[in-house]
Amino acid sequence: LQEGVLNPRLERDGAGTQVLHLDGRFALAWTAVAEALAASDYTLTDLNRSTGTYFITIFDATAEPTERSLWQWLTNSHELGVEVDYLVKMNRSRLGVYLSLQKDLETLADDALAVSFLTDLQKLLVQ
């Protein structure tokens, strides 16, 4: 990927939300982010270019499973960690594009998780 063209950097938007700011056109950023996600440990489950949305799965080590297996139930095991679905939204602006991590269309992801994910994505984009 052309690092100089995208110049990914972590920022806070006007509302204080953690975002990853990329320079350049939407088309270039869309392709670069899709390739970075495909090469990452995150699971890219779907994408919708017309809405600027990537659908990913992130392992959340702090989440409690909603259903326990028979073995977990018999041993009274409360192992933490589940795969959680998130949206990565890409928004266009006259200064480039901004990526944010969301639980759903209306809810932003936890700030610490967003910082961690966007930092990982930033590293993938500059490789």
Side-chain angles (χ1 to χ4, degrees):
L1 300 175
Q2 298 170 325
E3 175 186 348
V5 176
L6 291 176
N7 187 24
R9 57 210 177 273
L10 289 173
E11 297 179 353
R12 296 250 175 218
D13 69 7
T17 303
Q18 186 69 60
V19 295
L20 184 62
H21 182 188
L22 306 176
D23 294 335
R25 299 170 102 53
F26 180 87
L28 174 68
W30 177 261
T31 303
V33 170
E35 289 173 2
L37 288 171
S40 75
D41 292 334
Y42 302 104
T43 306
L44 179 62
T45 56
D46 200 2
L47 45 101
N48 184 333
R49 185 177 167 143
S50 63
T51 62
T53 308
Y54 303 90
F55 300 86
I56 64 168
T57 302
I58 298 175
F59 181 79
D60 184 349
T62 63
E64 216 172 307
T66 51
E67 294 180 18
R68 296 191 302 159
S69 70
L70 177 62
W71 179 252
Q72 289 171 322
W73 184 77
L74 287 171
T75 59
N76 203 23
S77 169
H78 289 282
E79 291 178 23
L80 293 179
V82 291
E83 298 280 327
V84 182
D85 294 329
Y86 286 92
L87 310 175
V88 179
K89 285 291 290 172
M90 181 179 283
N91 296 302
R92 304 168 201 233
S93 82
R94 56 188 175 76
L95 301 173
V97 294
Y98 294 87
L99 294 163
S100 60
L101 185 65
Q102 299 179 209
K103 284 184 180 180
D104 56 48
L105 290 173
E106 265 98 66
T107 314
L108 290 167
D110 175 70
D111 191 65
L113 180 63
V115 169
S116 173
F117 169 77
L118 293 171
T119 300
D120 285 351
L121 186 56
Q122 179 184 27
K123 289 175 189 167
L124 288 164
L125 287 168
V126 296
Q127 286 182 352

